Amino acid sequence: MTTDVRSTTAGGEVSAREARHVVQTYKRAPIVLTSGRGSYVYDVDGREYLDLISGVGVASLGHANPGLAAIVADQASTLLHCSNLFFHPLQGELAERLAALSGLERTFFCNSGTEAMEACLKFARRYWYADGAPQRSGIVALRGAFHGRTFGSLSITADPHYRDPFGPLLGPVTFVSPDDPAELAAAVTGDTAIVVVEAIQGEGGVRPLGVEFARAVQEACTRTGALLICDEIQCGLGRTGVPFYFPELGLQPQLVPVGKALGAGIPIGAALVSEAVAARVGYGEHGSTYGGNLLACRAGIYFLDQLTNGGVLEHVRRVGAHLGERLTELAGRHASIKEVRGVALMRGLDLDRPAAPVVDAARERGLLVNGTAKTVVRLLPPLTITAEEVDLAIDRLDDALTATAGATR
Ligand code: PLP
């Protein structure tokens, strides 16, 4: 199987045109994808790949899901967008469903994860302003965190590679180790406006927060009154076999940004907030032209319906447990796997070497996974992946690990 997109005529044209006209912010893998079905995607030359990254956790119902395709087509031929100048019937319906799942009564709709985080940051600032404490602006975030690329989200994202070229960023932000409850407890004071965590760090290498650390986070917020943001953009909405992961850790956030899986491929983001936070936000103080349009809300409603009434949540628990067992077996056969981390269908294999050669070797064997935090092979399959597909993925990963044994980059 070729690994160079330029070796095919169609692939070569695609990559050459991009090289001339697209801002070069993405170092893409050398394949051009043109279609998908279920857990598989197909490239321009007709090659099939089992997709265990699902557009970084977005294609939650698999590719070309017939039910989703039907409702998207129906909505496109009815009314796609009317702006937030007017009511439409679907925002309230989706917000009501999200409230029932999260316990957070109100939703602000936007178009991506980073926008959902921006909304949470603005609403948290607005909260302290309304309370007569606008100087209360300190933020405590975690090392290894990733919250997005816009200025607010970037300010609470730890990696200097993402941050340094774009300063000065929002501040003051104190980063603490997710392994050190005492450091967290000392950092959160009466000046802290916001504590922000991912219940499971995704880009940071698929690292669930420890129970003791989570307890320290909740205690610090309760002690000081600091608002807690739990970023569930990657780990939320069913990926771990429960609607949200924060309750599993005993966290009680006032703000929860979500995105990715919610639209199953249609761009949507949402800031889920408590009544107390929402009560302090007034007309015109935040907004979005596209946010919560009919198409995005229709997709979100369809996704949540499949998740809770269509059996997807139970399926994730079952197949997620199977994936966990198969990965543990795999680790038993490959000394290069130092640790298997994560929950259900959010998994990471921490290697004793760079992940990139394994990711490349897997792709050459028809399996898409991705590398994060340098040494971690990350798996975020569609929530609809079957046990048989998991077994096939493990066989291909097994081969890829064997083929790259000893490789370094
Ligand atoms: N927060 C987390 C935990 C994420 O994983 C991501 C994206 O990977 C984001 C925020 C940003 O989301 P988006 O890329 O949709 O802006």
Side-chain angles (χ1 to χ4, degrees):
M1 187 176 284
T2 178
T3 57
D4 190 347
V5 70
R6 289 160 302 186
S7 66
T8 72
T9 311
E13 281 168 13
V14 169
S15 64
R17 190 176 294 125
E18 277 211 8
R20 284 196 302 276
H21 294 295
V22 174
V23 177
Q24 295 295 296
T25 58
Y26 302 110
K27 189 168 186 305
R28 301 191 201 281
I31 56 174
V32 176
L33 300 177
T34 51
S35 67
R37 176 133 318 252
S39 302
Y40 292 89
V41 287
Y42 300 88
D43 75 9
V44 69
D45 299 312
R47 282 189 209 94
E48 182 181 87
Y49 301 86
L50 182 52
D51 182 8
L52 265 72
I53 194 67
S54 66
V56 200
V58 167
S60 46
L61 299 177
H63 299 285
N65 179 289
L68 181 65
I71 64 111
V72 166
D74 180 64
Q75 199 60 50
S77 60
T78 311
L79 184 64
L80 282 173
H81 179 85
C82 67
S83 86
N84 283 305
L85 296 176
F86 308 103
F87 289 100
H88 70 68
L90 304 180
Q91 264 198 34
E93 185 181 341
L94 180 54
E96 190 173 70
R97 288 177 187 236
L98 286 166
L101 286 178
S102 69
L104 293 163
E105 296 89 341
R106 292 189 184 262
T107 298
F108 173 84
F109 288 106
C110 50
N111 313 289
S112 63
T114 196
E115 281 176 77
M117 181 55 85
E118 292 296 327
C120 289
L121 294 171
K122 280 185 72 177
F123 294 161
R125 277 255 169 113
R126 182 68 181 87
Y127 180 96
W128 292 115
Y129 180 84
D131 258 32
Q135 76 289 352
R136 189 167 179 169
S137 59
I139 302 177
V140 175
L142 303 188
R143 294 197 198 104
F146 181 87
H147 297 294
R149 308 287 198 149
T150 50
F151 272 105
S153 305
L154 190 59
S155 302
I156 52 171
T157 289
D159 189 336
H161 174 71
Y162 298 143
R163 300 167 57 84
D164 287 356
F166 302 104
L169 299 175
L170 201 69
V173 180
T174 306
F175 288 101
V176 301
S177 163
D179 299 319
D180 191 343
E183 190 187 6
L184 179 281
V188 181
T189 69
D191 293 329
T192 305
I194 301 164
V195 177
V196 55
V197 302
E198 289 158 86
I200 304 178
Q201 289 192 335
E203 305 298 307
V206 191
R207 292 175 179 276
L209 290 188
V211 172
E212 206 191 322
F213 186 85
R215 196 178 307 124
V217 168
Q218 191 52 56
E219 275 171 15
C221 290
T222 306
R223 169 173 51 85
T224 61
L227 296 173
L228 177 59
I229 304 179
C230 284
D231 181 341
E232 293 257 348
I233 291 164
Q234 189 168 140
C235 66
L237 295 168
R239 181 153 293 285
T240 64
V242 288
F244 295 96
Y245 199 68
F246 67 81
E248 304 293 302
L249 296 171
L251 294 171
Q252 294 161 24
Q254 291 85 3
L255 304 105
V256 173
V258 294
K260 289 193 187 282
L262 182 57
I266 302 296
I268 183 170
L272 316 182
V273 304
S274 69
E275 195 67 63
V277 169
R280 289 163 168 83
V281 182
Y283 290 130
E285 290 181 352
H286 197 43
S288 163
T289 297
Y290 289 114
N293 83 6
L294 290 101
L295 180 69
C297 288
R298 186 85 186 271
I301 292 166
Y302 182 78
F303 167 73
L304 291 184
D305 210 39
Q306 293 298 302
L307 190 69
T308 55
N309 304 324
V312 171
L313 214 43
E314 292 74 22
H315 177 85
V316 172
R317 274 184 225 129
R318 211 171 40 250
V319 180
H322 180 65
L323 176 60
E325 283 162 20
R326 295 302 321 266
L327 289 172
T328 304
E329 276 170 39
L330 192 68
R333 290 199 295 280
H334 293 276
S336 58
I337 301 176
K338 286 196 307 183
E339 196 181 3
V340 179
R341 288 200 292 262
V343 183
L345 294 181
M346 180 171 185
R347 300 281 185 174
L349 298 177
D350 194 5
L351 307 182
D352 66 359
R353 62 196 62 183
V358 178
V359 171
D360 291 345
R363 191 176 58 251
E364 286 162 14
R365 287 159 179 75
L367 175 68
L368 301 187
V369 293
N370 102 315
T372 191
K374 294 195 175 69
T375 57
V376 177
V377 175
R378 178 172 49 169
L379 312 177
L380 296 172
L383 305 185
T384 49
I385 191 170
T386 65
E388 294 70 33
E389 288 165 345
V390 164
D391 291 341
L392 182 57
I394 295 292
D395 288 348
R396 292 180 182 179
L397 202 49
D398 201 346
D399 272 5
L401 285 160
T402 303
T404 52
T408 50
R409 186 183 276 181

